[in-house]
Amino acid sequence: MVSVSNQQLTHIDETGAARMVDVGAKTHTERVALAESFIRMQPETLALILSGGHKKGDVLAVARVAGIMAAKKTWDLIPMCHPLLLTKVVVTLTPDEQNQGIHILAECRLSGQTGVEMEALTAASVAALTLYDMCKAVDRGMVIEYTRLLEKHGGKTGSWVR
């Protein structure tokens, strides 16, 4: 666990009030972030998705599009996020029969003044939530086990890799 004792919370001002960070003076750099999520389900639910037999249609395609759309709307969902001109959003859904679920990987990229970690995390989260929504009629016991940042590159702080 990283200690935050010598870190500054950037979205809190000197009085303790919430604030949006001013990124106007920051340098434009290439920024990329990768996040992942995993949703575990019954083997029968995964088989139904993989067979294309779900009556709601292509569940993976809908989740992929939902993740991409979510990345583009992160600023609308997370109060202190800036609206960003994303140049790339890729959401990959990989079935994992051994672990009975679907692994979701979201990559977001831009050239700008602030990072894209929240966009990648939002994309992965919403893709997982969409899978749950699409399949809850057949498996209400699905579990979204984790959503986490894997890596980020660019900006003043450079690279971070889990």
Side-chain angles (χ1 to χ4, degrees):
M1 190 73 148
V2 175
S3 170
V4 294
S5 60
N6 60 355
Q7 299 290 320
Q8 181 181 358
L9 296 175
T10 58
H11 290 290
I12 307 293
D13 71 13
E14 57 282 343
T15 70
R19 69 177 174 120
M20 186 174 189
V21 176
D22 182 357
V23 297
K26 285 183 159 187
T27 305
H28 280 260
T29 61
E30 283 296 313
R31 297 162 185 265
V32 63
L34 263 66
E36 70 177 342
S37 193
F38 187 81
I39 183 167
R40 188 176 303 273
M41 59 193 63
Q42 294 297 318
E44 299 81 14
T45 307
L46 183 58
L48 181 64
I49 292 169
L50 297 179
S51 72
H54 199 294
K55 61 183 174 181
K56 289 187 178 180
D58 188 342
V59 173
L60 297 176
V62 173
R64 185 177 309 107
V65 171
I68 292 167
M69 290 174 65
K72 293 166 42 173
K73 298 294 279 179
T74 299
W75 65 275
D76 221 6
L77 300 169
I78 311 292
M80 301 303 166
C81 286
H82 293 83
L84 300 179
L85 294 173
L86 297 170
T87 58
K88 180 179 183 181
V89 178
V90 177
V91 177
T92 306
L93 296 102
T94 306
D96 182 343
E97 293 182 81
Q98 181 177 348
N99 292 304
Q100 299 177 356
I102 297 176
H103 178 255
I104 302 155
L105 184 65
E107 175 187 354
C108 292
R109 192 177 285 270
L110 63 67
S111 177
Q113 295 168 291
T114 190
V116 290
E117 298 95 282
M118 293 308 301
E119 287 70 18
L121 286 162
T122 301
S125 298
V126 170
L129 289 167
T130 300
L131 288 170
Y132 188 95
D133 180 53
M134 299 274 302
C135 297
K136 69 183 180 283
V138 295
D139 186 358
R140 292 196 189 276
M142 291 176 287
V143 176
I144 298 170
E145 293 192 341
Y146 55 79
T147 299
R148 61 189 178 182
L149 183 67
L150 294 176
E151 55 188 82
K152 65 78 75 183
H153 303 281
K156 184 173 74 172
T157 60
S159 294
W160 179 89
V161 178
R162 176 169 297 285

